[in-house]
Amino acid sequence: MRVLVTGGAGFVGSHLCDALLAQGDSVVCADNLLTGRMANINHLRNDPRFEFREQDVSRPFDFGKVDYVFHLASPASPVDYIEHAIETLRVGSVGTMNCLELAKEYQAKFLLASTSECYGDPLEHPQKETYWGHVNPVGPRSVYDEAKRFAEAATMAYHRHRTVDTRIVRIFNTYGPRLQINDGRVISNFMKQALRGEDLTVYGDGSQTRSFCYVSDEVRGILALAKSDEHGPTNIGNPGEFTILECAKVVLDITASSSNIRFEPLPQDDPRQRRPDISKAKRLLDWEPKIDLQTGLRMSLDYFRSAVQASG
Ligand code: NAD
Ligand code: UDP
């Protein structure tokens, strides 16, 4: 297959490019490098089955026939999507429509990288795919949440009315090597702070929860969904749930750091709790994550050490 990966120079996208090449596909990686980096894909550039195209997918583009479109392009961390608010809305809406049109034209299959943020600050816990969510449509996070909800609606509309063969993955907090250390996400902040001996910044009282999925588990789930016939949204995440304070302690333990914890104000609309119900993925895809937080952080330690060193 010739596969298009938008956002392929990003954290998850670059691991997806690796996995697609490893299973024998050719990959066209389209990325405007807004939050991604060439360093994530430099190791692929001599592979004749890999093409990089610097492209904003919110503008018209066409790189010839493809058999599958994986649409991952979008700022993803709260710091990034609030800084790039308009670009985030645009890539979730116009960018997604461009990718769906391309899939229609080439009769390619299409997979949307959606997010647990579609559930907002969830009143149902854990979150099943059938839950419609609790999203503030005008808050600071809405540029991302509503863009992704629009992207899901567009994907279902192209499936229903344009016969595009679509999939939607709802990704829950994912981490691992190549996570940008300056993207402000909790794992990147805590690892960087712990390795530098700085205070770990816990927002609020740290009792809010997240469920963290190691990137190889996430990509394996995405590929299993891509090969399935399931069109409805599917959660791919690790149900192991941690308070942010517990997460800080795990990071201190794994890094053997003597950093202290400093409490800072909780950002507006920060979800109180988040844990995927993955019974659908287990049943339909025979998928479940294998790597727990402690193991995944240990596996990421060398990467974070060198990223922190490189950042000075
Ligand atoms: P990332 O920021 O590392 O990667 C996103 C990539 O998209 C970057 O390389 C960026 O340059 C590119 N991009 C952004 N706008 C673009 C545009 N208009 N045209 C072309 N490229 C563009 O983030 P990530 O964590 O790898 O996230 C990848 C996808 O997965 C995103 O769609 C995100 O919403 C989704 N997701 C990720 C997580 C997570 O925890 N990592 C959770 C939920 C959903
Ligand atoms: N968080 C924190 N300290 C940090 C960064 C994040 O306490 O330095 C908290 C944040 O308030 C949220 C959780 O960690 O409750 C996860 O934040 P992240 O930005 O990684 O992703 P989110 O799940 O909110 O999109």
Side-chain angles (χ1 to χ4, degrees):
M1 284 203 302
R2 185 167 185 255
V3 178
L4 172 66
V5 179
T6 77
F11 162 54
V12 179
S14 62
H15 285 280
L16 181 62
C17 290
D18 288 346
L20 289 164
L21 289 164
Q23 71 179 25
D25 296 322
S26 296
V27 172
V28 184
C29 163
D31 199 301
N32 66 353
L33 303 176
L34 182 67
T35 57
R37 291 173 305 155
M38 290 309 292
N40 290 340
I41 50 167
N42 270 339
H43 62 289
L44 301 176
R45 299 204 72 188
N46 290 329
D47 188 328
R49 290 174 302 131
F50 181 77
E51 294 166 59
F52 173 70
R53 303 290 185 111
E54 188 165 342
Q55 174 70 43
D56 179 347
V57 299
S58 300
R59 295 177 178 279
F61 69 98
D62 187 347
F63 304 131
K65 179 164 171 48
V66 287
D67 306 293
Y68 217 120
V69 178
F70 288 83
H71 179 39
L72 278 73
S74 171
S77 90
V79 167
D80 285 342
Y81 63 68
I82 289 169
E83 181 182 346
H84 302 293
I86 308 301
E87 291 84 350
T88 302
L89 283 162
R90 197 173 283 133
V91 74
S93 55
V94 181
T96 302
M97 301 283 273
N98 285 344
C99 293
L100 284 161
E101 279 293 324
L102 200 81
K104 177 173 75 94
E105 185 177 330
Y106 290 121
Q107 296 185 327
K109 295 185 180 184
F110 176 90
L111 181 141
L112 171 71
S114 186
T115 167
S116 53
E117 279 286 318
C118 287
Y119 302 120
D121 187 6
L123 303 178
E124 185 179 300
H125 193 71
Q127 293 80 51
K128 284 196 188 74
E129 291 86 349
T130 47
Y131 177 52
W132 289 357
H134 179 228
V135 171
N136 176 352
V138 292
R141 297 175 84 101
S142 64
V143 294
Y144 182 67
D145 301 10
E146 297 294 16
K148 289 288 186 181
R149 287 163 66 101
F150 176 89
E152 288 199 2
T155 301
M156 290 311 297
Y158 270 75
H159 175 62
R160 292 190 182 110
H161 304 292
R162 297 287 185 275
T163 62
V164 180
D165 192 356
T166 60
R167 318 277 180 280
I168 298 174
V169 57
R170 288 192 181 145
I171 300 173
F172 283 64
N173 297 62
T174 298
Y175 70 97
R178 302 185 198 152
L179 193 65
Q180 281 254 51
I181 60 162
N182 292 325
D183 69 8
R185 289 191 256 206
V186 67
I187 298 289
S188 23
N189 272 5
F190 284 179
M191 290 297 276
K192 180 175 64 181
Q193 292 160 343
L195 291 170
R196 284 184 181 159
E198 297 168 356
D199 291 352
L200 270 58
T201 51
V202 168
Y203 302 158
D205 63 4
S207 64
Q208 72 274 30
T209 69
R210 293 294 185 275
S211 303
F212 299 99
C213 190
Y214 189 68
V215 65
S216 61
D217 280 334
E218 188 64 48
V219 167
R220 192 167 45 80
I222 292 173
L223 288 178
L225 179 64
K227 287 173 190 149
S228 80
D229 290 324
E230 176 55 29
H231 304 296
T234 305
N235 292 339
I236 298 288
N238 189 322
E241 185 180 7
F242 293 79
T243 68
I244 294 306
L245 203 51
E246 285 168 344
C247 172
K249 287 178 182 154
V250 173
V251 168
L252 289 177
D253 179 40
I254 299 295
T255 54
S257 168
S258 52
S259 289
N260 294 314
I261 286 172
R262 188 173 77 233
F263 292 92
E264 292 195 352
L266 189 68
Q268 189 189 331
D269 296 339
D270 198 286
R272 280 288 316 149
Q273 53 184 359
R274 197 182 277 159
R275 171 153 60 102
D277 180 318
I278 58 165
S279 44
K280 180 175 176 183
K282 272 188 182 162
R283 188 178 72 251
L284 291 183
L285 313 176
D286 193 24
W287 174 88
E288 62 182 315
K290 294 179 177 159
I291 298 168
D292 65 21
L293 182 61
Q294 285 83 351
T295 309
L297 287 177
R298 231 172 260 124
M299 289 161 71
S300 312
L301 198 48
D302 282 350
Y303 161 74
F304 280 109
R305 276 213 184 95
S306 42
V308 164
Q309 243 166 19
S311 72

